[in-house]
Amino acid sequence: MRAPGRSAHQAVEQAQRYIAEGYSCVVEMDLAKFFDTVNHDRLMSKLEKHIEDKMLLRLIRRYLRTGIMTEGMVQARDEGTPQGSPLSPILSLIVLDELDKYLEKRGLRFTRYADDNNVYVRSRRAGERVFENLIAFIEGTLKLRVNRDKSGVFRPNRAKFLGYTFIGTTGAPSAHPKSFGRLRDKQKDIFYCARGTSLRAAIARLNPVLRGWRQYFRLDERRGVFEELDIHIRRRLRKLIGIAWKNPRTRERNLIRRGIAPERAWKSSVNGRGAWWNSKALHMRQAFDNSFFKRMGLFSVLEMQ
């Protein structure tokens, strides 16, 4: 159930195995501002059991109490770990090791990666009982806070773990709708900033985002979903092209250059529709077909080039 050093994908695959074994409910625990609420005294108490070097312990205590800037004033920190340091995640996860041991002692099936933790049970009733016990342990013993708005007992296709949700009796990992939402937000920023720049520059900014996102969600094997995403991205790029063609004469001339018949190019250029409508119209899809974007080097989330 615990596997130090494993990857996020291995943790997701472990979750899938539990669901495939018949654990049909997920107890999802969201720790509110976890890295900001680590209890210093509890953490130091755990470290003192394993570290004999008093100087090192004093340095860690001083590190934890590093001041934070609030409204122009530096204030001492009495809980939480400093952000941005590689030491903070290590110290914070020492705290959650106690949670792992608690779950193991109770014989529960669970997956945890960093502060993302889900427990798998066979019924909602069992899940609600585990949920209440976990809240009592996390808030009472670990002195952390549970975000009750994001925590609860869910069916696998409603739960979220490391950006994934799980579909069907096999628990097939699928990108959670919120993960798609974050990708859409990134795309919006890129397309908005791309106005007035070249199509090649827009694709150059878009590709790393698409490639990184799809690589992370490579466990999701739904072809239809990613085909639709590719279609949507190409449409957004065609819209950029349409925006760049500011007047009917320019649109007509460029459509003819792209192989559209003169009469049809003229009618399309003066149809009175906006760039978004035209981006899905047949004349634009023929002028800038899939092979065009492939030659431009656009990354395909379906093909995972």
Side-chain angles (χ1 to χ4, degrees), residues 12-32:
V12 172
E13 288 170 341
Q14 178 67 76
Q16 179 189 8
R17 286 194 289 272
Y18 287 146
I19 294 167
E21 290 170 7
Y23 291 88
S24 57
C25 284
V26 181
V27 181
E28 188 174 330
M29 302 300 297
D30 184 87
L31 301 180

Side-chain angles (χ1 to χ4, degrees), residues 18 24 28 91-92 100 113 123 139 163 187 191 193 195 207 214 216 218 223 272 290 305:
Y18 287 146
S24 57
E28 188 174 330
L91 293 176
S92 300
D100 291 345
Y113 188 86
S123 69
E139 295 187 339
Q187 287 180 43
F191 287 127
C193 295
R195 296 185 179 190
N207 275 348
R214 187 65 179 101
Y216 180 79
R218 64 179 182 267
R223 290 188 58 83
N290 296 359
Q305 297 170 339

Side-chain angles (χ1 to χ4, degrees), residues 62-223:
R62 290 178 62 183
Y63 166 79
L64 289 172
R65 291 184 58 80
T66 300
I68 62 174
M69 185 75 71
T70 304
E71 296 181 354
M73 300 291 291
V74 177
Q75 297 183 349
R77 184 193 302 270
D78 56 11
E79 67 175 1
T81 57
Q83 297 294 313
S85 167
L87 182 59
S88 290
I90 296 173
L91 293 176
S92 300
L93 296 180
I94 290 173
V95 175
L96 291 181
D97 183 66
E98 195 170 348
L99 174 61
D100 291 345
K101 291 176 180 176
Y102 169 80
L103 294 170
E104 289 175 346
K105 185 177 180 180
R106 296 195 59 192
L108 294 168
R109 299 288 187 269
F110 70 95
T111 53
R112 181 176 68 78
Y113 188 86
D115 61 326
D116 209 336
N117 184 78
N118 282 359
V119 181
Y120 303 87
V121 295
R122 296 189 183 275
S123 69
R124 175 166 289 278
R125 184 175 180 181
E128 290 171 351
R129 184 173 63 251
V130 169
F131 181 65
E132 294 301 325
N133 290 337
L134 273 176
I135 288 179
F137 179 78
I138 291 170
E139 295 187 339
T141 303
L142 300 184
K143 308 301 180 183
L144 299 171
R145 304 187 193 108
V146 175
N147 185 340
R148 286 168 171 76
D149 292 335
K150 296 183 179 179
S151 302
V153 183
F154 307 99
R155 292 296 182 186
N157 64 342
R158 297 289 183 182
K160 182 164 72 73
F161 181 60
L162 297 176
Y164 280 89
T165 190
F166 304 89
I167 296 176
T169 56
T170 63
S174 307
H176 192 277
K178 289 184 179 180
S179 301
F180 279 102
R182 285 192 289 271
L183 177 63
R184 284 194 296 270
D185 290 341
K186 290 181 180 179
Q187 287 180 43
K188 286 179 182 178
D189 293 338
I190 291 172
F191 287 127
Y192 180 79
C193 295
R195 296 185 179 190
T197 64
S198 70
L199 184 65
R200 195 174 296 277
I203 291 174
R205 291 191 61 194
L206 188 61
N207 275 348
V209 173
L210 296 176
R211 185 176 288 108
W213 187 91
R214 187 65 179 101
Q215 178 63 23
Y216 180 79
F217 289 104
R218 64 179 182 267
L219 298 180
D220 190 338
E221 298 178 348
R222 298 173 297 167
R223 290 188 58 83

Side-chain angles (χ1 to χ4, degrees), residues 232-263:
H232 179 75
I233 291 167
R234 289 192 294 266
R235 184 178 181 187
R236 294 294 296 263
L237 290 171
R238 290 189 188 102
K239 178 185 176 183
L240 287 179
I241 296 170
I243 291 173
W245 296 348
K246 295 181 180 180
N247 58 69
R249 190 179 295 277
T250 302
R251 289 195 291 270
E252 179 186 6
R253 183 172 61 251
N254 285 319
L255 284 172
I256 292 173
R257 286 177 180 173
R258 296 298 306 169
I260 305 300
E263 183 178 355

